[in-house]
Amino acid sequence: GEDVEQSLFLSVREGDSSVINCTYTDSSSTYLYWYKQEPGAGLQLLTYIFSNMDMKQDQRLTVLLNKKDKHLSLRIADTQTGDSAIYFCAESVNTGTASKLTFGTGTRLQVTL
Amino acid sequence: NAGVTQTPKFQVLKTGQSMTLQCAQDMNHEYMSWYRQDPGMGLRLIHYSVGAGITDQGEVPNGYNVSRSTTEDFPLRLLSAAPSQTSVYFCASSTLGEIGEQFFGPGTRLTVL
């Protein structure tokens, strides 16, 4: 199966850390991705992690991967109002003819003052 | 570089009408794809292409046709619009070696009455 699941909504206060979680089912995924969608716009790649890594840090972003549990998380430190958006995790699945991305349902992050 | 462009931005159709959503990219990307985004369901892949003259079905292809006569363009045709096709449609492109790093267009919001 290729289901990727996320919780739909997360609210945090400005300055706190946000943790967005994702579970996936395809254990053969080579890379896992986090995309950000701001209101009225398309998705933009935020960061990604190779499947043989446990953690990747990129400035305020930390990605944690638990391959045994097929669990991916994105931590945003010092969350700002500009971080308010929908965050999608995605896994790359090889279909034989080409790889394709399977996206999660998206988590809407609301940052309050 | 304009990146990925989509037209129109908004469209209202009546049931049974046909139309074509346009997508173009100027990055010489081999891989292009169409997704639809519905609340609580994330992005679902409709059709994709790995190069000019090559297309394949995604997760939800019924009711849609695509063609890829050039590297730059990847139009999506709705043959006979139905209310269930009311959605936001995104086109995306990437190199074949970096499927996970897809560049998204701004989207087309389609309403079928």
Side-chain angles (χ1 to χ4, degrees):
Chain A
E2 301 169 2
D3 291 336
V4 181
E5 295 187 354
Q6 303 176 237
S7 53
L8 289 181
F9 185 76
L10 176 66
S11 181
V12 298
R13 298 180 79 133
E14 189 178 41
D16 288 350
S17 291
S18 308
V19 179
I20 302 170
N21 294 303
C22 169
T23 57
Y24 62 97
T25 56
D26 193 320
S27 57
S28 66
S29 297
T30 308
Y31 288 93
L32 293 138
Y33 305 88
W34 283 104
Y35 277 79
K36 178 182 180 182
Q37 183 184 30
E38 296 187 352
L43 280 69
Q44 281 189 302
L45 181 64
L46 204 54
T47 187
Y48 64 93
I49 188 167
F50 189 47
S51 60
N52 70 352
M53 297 170 66
D54 297 325
M55 184 181 88
K56 179 180 179 181
Q57 187 143 6
D58 185 0
Q59 299 182 337
R60 292 190 298 122
L61 305 178
T62 303
V63 179
L64 294 178
L65 175 60
N66 181 329
K67 204 171 178 184
K68 176 175 164 287
D69 294 337
K70 299 192 185 72
H71 184 265
L72 181 73
S73 67
L74 174 69
R75 179 178 180 269
I76 305 173
D78 186 25
T79 311
Q80 303 296 308
T81 54
D83 295 323
S84 293
I86 303 176
Y87 291 82
F88 292 91
C89 63
E91 59 175 347
S92 175
V93 177
N94 194 331
T95 64
T97 52
S99 295
K100 60 177 184 174
L101 283 187
T102 298
F103 286 88
T105 49
T107 299
R108 182 180 295 276
L109 175 64
Q110 178 184 67
V111 182
T112 59
L113 297 173
Chain B
N1 274 357
V4 180
T5 58
Q6 291 183 239
T7 55
K9 288 183 78 84
F10 301 94
Q11 183 70 50
V12 178
L13 292 177
K14 293 182 180 176
T15 297
Q17 286 185 313
S18 63
M19 80 158 295
T20 299
L21 307 186
Q22 301 291 345
C23 173
Q25 52 90 12
D26 61 359
M27 297 173 281
N28 204 32
H29 285 166
E30 306 97 334
Y31 188 93
M32 295 187 75
S33 52
W34 276 101
Y35 296 89
R36 58 178 290 173
Q37 182 179 21
D38 301 292
M41 300 188 77
L43 271 76
R44 292 181 291 170
L45 182 65
I46 304 171
H47 285 284
Y48 66 98
S49 168
V50 298
I54 307 169
T55 64
D56 207 347
Q57 296 181 348
E59 186 185 350
V60 287
N62 292 343
Y64 307 95
N65 271 1
V66 291
S67 59
R68 185 97 180 267
S69 54
T70 67
T71 300
E72 294 79 19
D73 300 297
F74 191 44
L76 178 73
R77 292 184 193 84
L78 279 70
L79 309 169
S80 177
S84 61
Q85 293 178 304
T86 294
S87 187
V88 181
Y89 291 84
F90 289 100
C91 178
S93 74
S94 71
T95 62
L96 272 179
E98 297 286 344
I99 298 291
E101 189 174 358
Q102 294 199 17
F103 292 81
F104 280 79
T108 294
R109 185 174 292 274
L110 176 69
T111 301
V112 183
L113 302 175

